[in-house]
Amino acid sequence: MRLLAFLAVALLLTVFNAQAQVYGPYDGYDDYGGYGYDDPYSPYPPPPPYYEPAPRYQEPSRERRQPSTQSARGTIVIATREHTLVYTTAWGEQFAYPIAVGREGKQWYGSTRVVSKREHPEWRPTASMRQKNPKLPAVVRPGPRNPLGTRAIYLADGLLRIHGTNDPSSIGTNASSGCFRMYREDVEELYEMVQPGTQVIVQR
């Protein structure tokens, strides 16, 4: 009888020990400084990265210039050295904008006129451009990679344009192949005011 009682007690102790060794779900999600980085249900954010992320690009603030030239009404005057385009409306109001102009050897001076306008234009590199850079596509569709930006105003010679840009940091410099680049907001404003037939005078 005592033997049976002893065996029963030993069996109960074995069961209790076995139960005591049953582990609960792993909850050690604070191995990364307490942020719960490995736990998708953690209320904490992941730990900060070990590098500073690049700042989001912001287009430079536009510089509203004061016109330094007098011109006939309904005329665009481009002052190349000043990197400025001035449009005088038919009722005499003037708007002056900072621009990028052609690089040395690519600048043109004289009188021309607006022949057409286009929203969200395609860019077609010239044959000479593609010869120098065979990687250039035959056409670049509208979008953020288009160097003409969102608006293009075509001049009479068929090659020069007043247009937007996908490189606003070039405004105020000699950067183009002869065309005149403007900030997006500026070219969109000018586009609405200027009509085909508008005279354009390009000064040194």
Side-chain angles (χ1 to χ4, degrees), residues 88-180:
T88 305
T89 67
W91 52 93
E93 186 176 3
Q94 286 193 321
F95 295 84
Y97 305 103
I99 60 173
V101 300
R103 301 185 298 273
E104 293 297 327
K106 296 290 186 178
Q107 297 176 356
W108 179 89
Y109 312 100
S111 180
T112 182
R113 59 186 174 85
V114 174
V115 292
S116 64
K117 308 188 300 179
R118 184 168 298 172
E119 295 186 17
H120 305 289
E122 294 179 343
W123 180 56
R124 298 179 183 273
T126 63
S128 60
M129 288 179 179
R130 297 189 68 196
Q131 185 176 8
K132 292 178 181 177
N133 184 0
K135 294 183 179 180
L136 285 176
V139 59
V140 178
R141 305 295 180 186
R145 299 173 67 90
N146 190 313
L148 299 184
T150 61
R151 302 288 188 275
I153 300 170
Y154 295 84
L155 306 182
D157 61 4
L159 294 176
L160 292 182
R161 289 164 293 218
I162 300 168
H163 59 78
T165 181
N166 62 349
D167 181 17
S169 64
S170 67
I171 302 298
T173 69
N174 301 356
S176 76
S177 296
C179 291
F180 308 102

Side-chain angles (χ1 to χ4, degrees), residues 26-30 32 35-47:
Y26 176 69
D27 61 355
Y29 292 114
D30 58 353
Y32 292 86
Y35 285 97
Y37 184 72
D38 284 354
D39 182 5
Y41 303 105
S42 170
Y44 302 103

Side-chain angles (χ1 to χ4, degrees), residues 69-78 85-95 110-114 162 190 193-195 197-203:
T69 182
Q70 297 294 323
S71 58
R73 295 187 177 193
T75 302
I76 292 174
V77 175
I78 294 173
L85 181 151
V86 178
Y87 173 58
T88 305
T89 67
W91 52 93
E93 186 176 3
Q94 286 193 321
F95 295 84
S111 180
T112 182
R113 59 186 174 85
V114 174
I162 300 168
L190 182 67
M193 295 187 291
V194 169
Q195 300 301 322
T198 299
Q199 185 181 21
V200 179
I201 300 172
V202 182
Q203 302 174 340

